[in-house]
Amino acid sequence: MAVDKDMPLNVVQEILGHEDSATTAIYVKAREKRLAAEAARLYGEPEDPKA
């Protein structure tokens, strides 16, 4: 994504045609969550030592 390459969020917002930068931020956060979830699935979640 362009934000990963240091493109300012407001520029990405304009390119995507979002009226509000909060909309663009939602997509960025969703992508980050998706990547974290896939990484956890690939590498395995660390075991909870309290369990």
Side-chain angles (χ1 to χ4, degrees):
M1 180 174 231
V3 175
D4 294 336
K5 298 185 191 260
D6 296 325
M7 183 179 287
L9 189 62
N10 65 319
V11 174
V12 176
Q13 170 192 349
E14 192 168 332
I15 290 170
L16 295 176
H18 296 155
E19 249 182 71
D20 189 342
S21 62
T23 303
T24 310
I26 290 169
Y27 285 97
V28 171
K29 287 180 185 173
R31 180 178 179 272
E32 290 170 354
K33 282 184 178 181
R34 197 169 51 251
L35 288 174
E38 287 301 318
R41 189 173 68 85
L42 177 65
Y43 297 111
E45 301 259 354
E47 290 188 31
D48 186 357
K50 298 175 187 170

